[in-house]
Amino acid sequence: MATVTSSFHFSTLTQSSQRNFTLSSNSPTFRFRVGFSCHYLGVRASSYASKMVVRCSSSSVTDPPTVSETKLNFLKEYKRPIPSIYNTVLQELIVQQHLMRYKRSYRYDAVFALGFVTVYEQLMEGYPSDEDRDAIFQAYIKALKEDPEQYRVDAKKLEEWARAQNSTSLIEFSSREGEVEGILKDIAERAGGKGDFSYSRFFAIGLFRLLELANAMEPTILEKLCAVLNVNKRSVDRDLDVYRNLLSKLVQAKELLKEYVDREKKKREERAEPQKTNEAITQQFSSL
């Protein structure tokens, strides 16, 4: 049996990691390394007379779930098998998004949601069933203890808004009133240090999608948009390069998989043809 193999390296949709993705006709392998830092709470005790005062700080009342728990939640939500070319990348994405989701500075925003929805739709393009594709999306977001409908609604809201913009109006949102303008103003304030903001590549992809829909793809527009949002353009440029490379590699892998499936289907049909002929001859003799 012929073997189809496609290997490529790509950085994850978080700040730093790299893995090998190998697609084969038998069993795909996927290796990755994830680096992250743990923050230990400081505890200070002091004694005054006979009293001891213990002060400690904590970012949340309860500990966040582990990566394994998040992945298990996904499997509980969606129990059907997923083709390996999709499942392998989905499993990697859910690990990376788990790390984003449970950072202390994380706060959901609509641009982040637009970025994830964009990545998901690109990844799952061509999936055999639209119904299953939506069910997988629901299971994925629920596994992260977030609302999949909010992701969809906010992504659609920003897409519709961006289609009505141009190069000038897109970067002048702060001078206008409106729901999406308010969302962008809030992001700009938080990114500027007035609240929690955690930059990620999903956010960068969300910005790219806004520019794309507004037909404002000039590099200077992205620079100005990053400036008014208080986001580092270098980080955005770097992450968009990773995103474009990932899409290119996924397209190649899917094409190889389709070619392999088509060849195997043709071989099965060719093997079945002599059997059909023998059965027809047998039936003819039986009827004599």
Side-chain angles (χ1 to χ4, degrees):
M1 180 179 294
T3 300
V4 177
T5 304
S6 173
S7 301
F8 54 89
H9 298 278
F10 60 93
S11 299
T12 64
L13 295 177
T14 55
Q15 289 301 324
S16 63
S17 68
Q18 188 174 42
R19 82 293 311 217
N20 303 324
F21 181 94
T22 303
L23 170 67
S24 69
S25 59
N26 297 316
S27 58
T29 61
F30 194 62
R31 300 184 298 277
F32 59 90
R33 181 185 303 168
V34 177
F36 62 96
S37 59
C38 299
H39 301 275
Y40 294 91
L41 300 178
V43 179
R44 182 187 304 170
S46 58
S47 176
Y48 300 95
S50 60
K51 299 173 68 176
M52 177 179 287
V53 179
V54 179
R55 299 185 180 90
C56 64
S57 61
S58 174
S59 60
S60 60
V61 177
T62 59
D63 292 331
T66 64
V67 171
S68 296
E69 288 171 336
T70 295
K71 294 176 76 172
L72 182 60
N73 288 338
F74 174 68
L75 295 175
K76 287 179 179 178
E77 289 285 345
Y78 189 81
K79 299 180 175 65
R80 300 183 63 183
I82 301 173
S84 60
I85 189 172
Y86 300 98
N87 190 50
T88 302
V89 183
L90 278 172
Q91 290 297 322
E92 168 63 8
L93 283 182
I94 204 169
V95 169
Q96 301 305 328
Q97 193 165 347
H98 171 98
L99 299 178
M100 298 180 205
R101 166 73 174 84
Y102 293 106
K103 285 179 66 175
R104 290 183 179 184
S105 58
Y106 173 80
R107 179 175 167 184
Y108 169 90
D109 67 59
V111 176
F112 176 94
L114 175 60
F116 174 75
V117 170
T118 300
V119 170
Y120 184 84
E121 293 301 326
Q122 292 281 356
L123 168 64
M124 301 297 283
E125 184 180 10
Y127 198 79
S129 167
D130 290 341
E131 183 178 349
D132 287 342
R133 181 172 57 191
D134 184 62
I136 293 169
F137 179 87
Q138 297 273 336
Y140 181 105
I141 301 299
K142 287 180 180 178
L144 292 159
K145 301 185 184 302
E146 291 191 310
D147 183 0
E149 291 306 316
Q150 184 179 21
Y151 270 72
R152 290 291 194 191
V153 168
D154 285 346
K156 183 178 180 181
K157 186 186 304 176
L158 262 64
E159 287 177 339
E160 292 176 348
W161 178 84
R163 289 189 181 97
Q165 306 306 311
N166 54 45
S167 298
T168 302
S169 64
L170 189 65
I171 60 177
E172 293 180 350
F173 65 84
S174 60
S175 64
R176 304 194 309 272
E177 297 297 325
E179 186 177 6
V180 174
E181 285 83 356
I183 290 172
L184 297 178
K185 289 176 189 178
D186 177 63
I187 290 172
E189 289 181 2
R190 290 189 288 111
K194 296 182 180 179
D196 288 336
F197 176 78
S198 180
Y199 171 82
S200 73
R201 287 177 182 164
F202 285 136
F203 184 88
I205 294 165
L207 290 185
F208 177 81
R209 184 64 175 152
L210 291 177
L211 295 171
E212 186 178 43
L213 292 172
N215 196 25
M217 300 297 288
E218 302 90 340
T220 55
I221 303 302
L222 175 59
E223 183 176 1
K224 291 177 181 178
L225 183 59
C226 288
V228 293
L229 286 171
N230 297 310
V231 175
N232 187 307
K233 183 178 180 293
R234 283 187 179 181
S235 297
V236 173
D237 286 337
R238 179 194 63 221
D239 295 338
L240 290 181
D241 286 341
V242 172
Y243 171 60
R244 295 185 189 101
N245 184 57
L246 172 60
L247 291 183
S248 175
K249 300 303 182 183
L250 282 173
V251 168
Q252 293 174 26
K254 288 180 183 181
E255 288 176 351
L256 286 172
L257 179 63
K258 183 177 183 301
E259 290 174 5
Y260 169 74
V261 170
D262 290 344
R263 285 201 305 270
E264 290 301 303
K265 181 180 179 182
K266 185 176 181 180
K267 288 179 181 179
R268 287 195 299 269
E269 291 173 350
E270 290 173 350
R271 287 195 296 266
E273 196 61 36
Q275 183 178 353
K276 291 179 181 179
T277 302
N278 291 336
E279 289 175 354
I281 294 173
T282 301
Q283 289 177 357
Q284 288 178 357
F285 277 103
S286 298
S287 60
L288 294 178

